[in-house]
Amino acid sequence: MSGIDTKGKRLFIARHGETIFNLAGRLQGDHVHTPLTRTGFAQADEMGKALARHLATEQPELDLIASNTDRALQTLSVVAEHVGADWHQARSDERLREIDMGEWGGAWYRDLAGQLEIDETERLFVTVAPGGEDYRAIARRLEHWLAEQEFARDAVLISHGMTSRVLRGLLVGADPHPRFDAPIAEGLPQGSIVQIRDGIEDVIHIGGGEGEKA
């Protein structure tokens, strides 16, 4: 499986910063309204600084893209300010939302002990939530989104932990994960940002946050 041709354009991809649900130990899934914590804003600030350093004297015309959740749009606004991009031109899409946790959306992790199995090494959910998505479903909606992209300009894209891993897997042409039957990239700490161009990924910044929490 080969990576996706982005016509030489770069996608700078990151997940949102820490949220109040992350801090409290709640499953937010595709919930729209879970705002960033102070740590989350600090992580967004670091991502913006890192991207500005990476671009250095470049002044590329950047597309701004995010899932249509508060936490992704908040993160994007901070990153955009650092690189001199106009957040008001941002495009959002619900297909970039986090994994749908169905009936478990908003639940406390502690209350799902014995029900929700997590692969602690991979930081991935083994159990599919009642009424929720698996990783193949995430890949399908992201494939539809990718098929619509023209890759006319470099882009900053803010998504979520699980979703961004599948998106990165699709972009680099990763083989389907043997356990989850979907292309899933390696997890990165919250606050990290990568560059993907024509199927090649480079890590720009490693954040200091935790691993994936949906």
Side-chain angles (χ1 to χ4, degrees):
M1 185 174 179
S2 59
I4 290 176
D5 178 9
T6 60
K7 302 179 182 177
K9 301 303 180 184
R10 298 170 292 184
L11 275 70
F12 301 106
I13 300 174
R15 54 195 285 221
H16 60 78
E18 181 191 75
T19 70
I20 57 171
F21 271 38
N22 293 152
L23 184 62
R26 294 181 67 183
L27 282 159
Q28 57 201 334
D30 64 347
H31 273 43
V32 176
H33 303 301
T34 55
L36 301 182
T37 61
R38 286 183 297 172
T39 295
F41 277 110
Q43 290 168 343
D45 198 51
E46 285 301 313
M47 284 189 285
K49 290 177 182 177
L51 182 56
R53 287 193 300 269
H54 180 74
L55 295 174
T57 57
E58 291 183 64
Q59 293 184 320
E61 188 176 355
L62 293 166
D63 281 339
L64 301 179
I65 306 168
S67 90
N68 64 339
T69 60
D70 287 351
R71 57 198 186 272
L73 290 165
Q74 286 175 324
T75 302
L76 181 61
S77 70
V78 176
V79 174
E81 184 177 351
H82 277 284
V83 297
D86 182 3
W87 181 87
H88 296 283
Q89 303 303 314
R91 294 184 283 117
S92 62
D93 196 302
E94 66 179 6
R95 290 172 293 184
L96 299 174
R97 282 191 192 181
E98 184 55 295
I99 186 171
D100 183 352
M101 293 305 295
E103 295 176 15
W104 290 348
W108 302 87
Y109 276 91
R110 64 174 181 264
D111 291 341
L112 295 175
Q115 300 180 70
L116 174 60
E117 181 185 353
I118 301 173
D119 185 320
E120 296 294 348
T121 301
E122 299 267 14
R123 300 289 296 182
L124 296 169
F125 295 138
V126 177
T127 312
V128 179
E133 287 183 305
D134 61 14
Y135 294 99
R136 290 172 296 183
I138 298 175
R140 285 193 293 271
R141 59 176 159 89
L142 290 175
E143 286 169 344
H144 291 153
W145 181 83
L146 283 166
E148 296 174 5
Q149 305 313 301
E150 297 180 355
F151 301 113
R153 289 175 291 275
D154 292 337
V156 179
L157 190 153
I158 306 296
S159 184
H160 305 266
M162 306 295 184
T163 300
S164 65
R165 288 180 65 178
V166 177
L167 177 60
R168 289 166 49 218
L170 289 168
L171 284 164
V172 303
D175 292 329
H177 190 289
R179 189 172 192 181
F180 302 102
D181 197 27
I184 305 174
E186 182 181 2
L188 293 170
Q190 206 153 26
S192 302
I193 184 167
V194 305
Q195 170 190 296
I196 298 180
R197 173 165 49 190
D198 296 330
I200 304 298
E201 178 178 89
D202 295 298
V203 178
I204 292 174
H205 177 69
I206 295 289
E210 296 183 329
E212 282 73 26
K213 281 186 176 180

